[in-house]
Amino acid sequence: MPKSLISIQDFTKEEILHILDVAEEFEKNKSQTFLSDKVIACIFFEPSTRTRLSFETASNRLGARVIGFSDAANTSVRKGESLKDTIKMVSNYADLIVMRHPIEGSARYASEVASVPVINAGDGANQHPTQTLLDLYTIRQTQGRLDKIDINMVGDLKYGRTVHSLLQAMSHFSPTFTFTSPQELMMPKEYKEFLDEKGIPYKETSDLTQHLDTTDILYMTRIQQERFTDPMEYDKVKNVYSLNSSMLANVKPNMKILHPLPRLQEIAEDVDDTPHAYYFKQAENGMYVRMAIISYLLGKR
Ligand code: CP
């Protein structure tokens, strides 16, 4: 079976650092067309702006051609074709598959039936490993290191797949975590047990103002409306946090605010003009990191 990226735990610490180093090369030289004989399939069963477009741009900048769909309603899935058959077909057309799907575990399943590498571009509330690699790249870019970072994860820690992948990846680098969430959306038990096993400290709070002064990276997340089964439960928590510039008076000078985006009201627009806002550059970094991931999985870097 070819090497895929389904969970961030599929990559060793050395592989993670290798991807970040290669991404740095791509940031310096944005177009290197050594994949001109390759076809990349981007198949998205769930909405996306950044992940799909940055994968497509990354593929184009590497010289590859792109096929795929952004809405499964326009495919034979609508006629009842199974995920297995869809993946087997796309494997015959493309050299690598990038897939986003709403069902947890779907990406792992796809990698087991595909004859080409599969990249998980998000599977339900489970994992978003390429987001994690671009998050790590951005943390290193802003802090000059990955070791001993104080990272405060805020918002929907239950359904937010980006925080789950990032927590696991940061465990290589002796972090300290603060988990800021409403009671209903706390970090799931299995991730806290994972940290306990590794002896990594974490604090939990529902008060966004509580630990801001010690934070290096403030990782804001959106409340994931699409994962709630009860709309009333979503209404209770949807506006729970709203970071504005007046709340940043006592933060560390180099504290950076990241967000996987899209944002709703959890970061007010007046934060965008502060030196702490880094989420748009973070999204740009996704392109370089995805160039590195594609090249690595195709054996070219
Ligand atoms: N960060 C992220 O996954 O954004 P999209 O949903 O727009 O791809």
Side-chain angles (χ1 to χ4, degrees), residues 1-175:
M1 213 169 16
K3 186 168 177 69
S4 291
L5 174 57
I6 306 303
S7 158
I8 194 64
Q9 292 184 295
D10 295 340
F11 275 10
T12 63
K13 180 179 178 180
E14 289 67 34
E15 285 176 302
I16 289 172
L17 292 172
H18 173 72
I19 294 289
L20 305 195
D21 291 344
V22 174
E24 248 173 33
E25 284 174 30
F26 285 128
E27 183 163 9
K28 288 182 197 132
N29 184 358
K30 295 182 176 52
S31 289
Q32 299 187 43
T33 56
F34 54 83
L35 294 185
S36 58
D37 61 336
K38 301 294 181 193
V39 175
I40 311 284
C42 291
I43 57 173
F44 278 65
F45 296 81
E46 254 196 352
S48 167
T49 297
R50 276 145 294 275
T51 310
R52 186 172 68 82
L53 294 181
S54 63
F55 262 117
E56 291 188 4
T57 311
S59 305
N60 287 325
R61 286 185 182 278
L62 292 166
R65 279 153 295 169
V66 178
I67 61 166
F69 53 82
S70 56
D71 182 357
N74 293 327
T75 73
S76 288
V77 170
R78 182 127 184 223
K79 303 175 201 159
E81 187 163 41
S82 67
L83 181 61
K84 180 179 180 180
D85 288 2
T86 303
I87 294 295
K88 279 189 163 299
M89 287 312 307
V90 178
S91 287
N92 291 340
Y93 301 141
D95 299 289
L96 181 146
I97 298 172
V98 179
M99 183 179 91
R100 172 170 289 187
H101 198 283
I103 298 176
E104 293 179 28
S106 54
R108 181 69 67 197
Y109 177 71
S111 73
E112 286 165 2
V113 297
S115 56
V116 298
V118 174
I119 298 177
N120 179 8
D123 63 327
N126 185 32
Q127 284 264 329
H128 195 349
T130 68
Q131 176 72 44
T132 295
L133 288 162
L134 78 89
D135 292 341
L136 294 177
Y137 183 81
T138 306
I139 292 169
R140 191 171 79 166
Q141 185 171 67
T142 60
Q143 305 297 316
R145 66 186 204 284
L146 283 170
D147 287 308
K148 297 192 166 45
I149 297 291
D150 190 311
I151 180 163
N152 187 343
M153 296 176 163
V154 179
D156 189 345
L157 307 186
K158 179 178 178 186
Y159 296 119
R161 56 193 172 201
T162 64
V163 290
H164 301 158
S165 302
L166 184 56
L167 175 152
Q168 290 177 333
M170 287 298 290
S171 72
H172 292 298
F173 303 103
S174 308

Side-chain angles (χ1 to χ4, degrees), residues 12 81 94 108 122 149 152 177 186 188-189 223 257 270:
T12 63
E81 187 163 41
R108 181 69 67 197
I149 297 291
N152 187 343
F177 287 108
M186 288 171 75
K189 192 162 143 272
I223 308 296
I257 302 161
D270 70 352

Side-chain angles (χ1 to χ4, degrees), residues 58-300:
S59 305
N60 287 325
R61 286 185 182 278
L62 292 166
R65 279 153 295 169
V66 178
I67 61 166
F69 53 82
S70 56
D71 182 357
N74 293 327
T75 73
S76 288
V77 170
R78 182 127 184 223
K79 303 175 201 159
E81 187 163 41
S82 67
L83 181 61
K84 180 179 180 180
D85 288 2
T86 303
I87 294 295
K88 279 189 163 299
M89 287 312 307
V90 178
S91 287
N92 291 340
Y93 301 141
D95 299 289
L96 181 146
I97 298 172
V98 179
M99 183 179 91
R100 172 170 289 187
H101 198 283
I103 298 176
E104 293 179 28
S106 54
R108 181 69 67 197
Y109 177 71
S111 73
E112 286 165 2
V113 297
S115 56
V116 298
V118 174
I119 298 177
N120 179 8
D123 63 327
N126 185 32
Q127 284 264 329
H128 195 349
T130 68
Q131 176 72 44
T132 295
L133 288 162
L134 78 89
D135 292 341
L136 294 177
Y137 183 81
T138 306
I139 292 169
R140 191 171 79 166
Q141 185 171 67
T142 60
Q143 305 297 316
R145 66 186 204 284
L146 283 170
D147 287 308
K148 297 192 166 45
I149 297 291
D150 190 311
I151 180 163
N152 187 343
M153 296 176 163
V154 179
D156 189 345
L157 307 186
K158 179 178 178 186
Y159 296 119
R161 56 193 172 201
T162 64
V163 290
H164 301 158
S165 302
L166 184 56
L167 175 152
Q168 290 177 333
M170 287 298 290
S171 72
H172 292 298
F173 303 103
S174 308
T176 303
F177 287 108
T178 300
F179 300 137
T180 304
S181 72
Q183 192 70 27
E184 297 88 334
L185 298 175
M186 288 171 75
M187 183 62 76
K189 192 162 143 272
E190 64 263 32
Y191 292 101
K192 291 187 276 191
E193 285 173 356
F194 173 86
L195 295 180
D196 289 338
E197 278 166 25
K198 293 188 174 298
I200 295 173
Y202 58 86
K203 304 182 275 286
E204 294 186 285
T205 179
S206 58
D207 180 358
L208 175 55
T209 62
Q210 210 173 20
H211 297 291
L212 286 181
D213 58 340
T214 56
T215 294
D216 296 312
I217 293 290
L218 186 61
Y219 195 93
M220 301 293 295
T221 65
R222 174 177 65 89
I223 308 296
Q224 306 272 303
Q225 179 177 11
E226 63 274 32
R227 312 273 176 236
F228 282 74
T229 46
D230 180 350
M232 282 167 62
E233 290 299 311
Y234 173 69
D235 282 342
K236 271 199 269 179
V237 291
K238 67 180 180 187
N239 295 323
V240 64
Y241 299 121
S242 183
L243 184 73
N244 61 61
S245 60
S246 69
M247 295 162 77
L248 303 174
N250 298 317
V251 301
K252 289 184 176 180
N254 194 36
M255 188 278 273
K256 295 296 179 206
I257 302 161
L258 305 189
H259 191 309
L261 303 176
R263 69 159 156 195
L264 301 180
Q265 88 315 314
E266 62 274 3
I267 302 179
E269 287 193 10
D270 70 352
V271 175
D272 298 357
D273 300 324
T274 72
H276 304 289
Y278 211 77
Y279 25 91
F280 294 119
K281 175 61 181 160
Q282 175 191 7
E284 178 192 322
N285 287 343
M287 186 172 63
Y288 312 126
V289 171
R290 288 172 174 132
M291 288 173 82
I293 296 166
I294 291 169
S295 305
Y296 180 65
L297 291 179
L298 289 176
K300 300 289 185 182

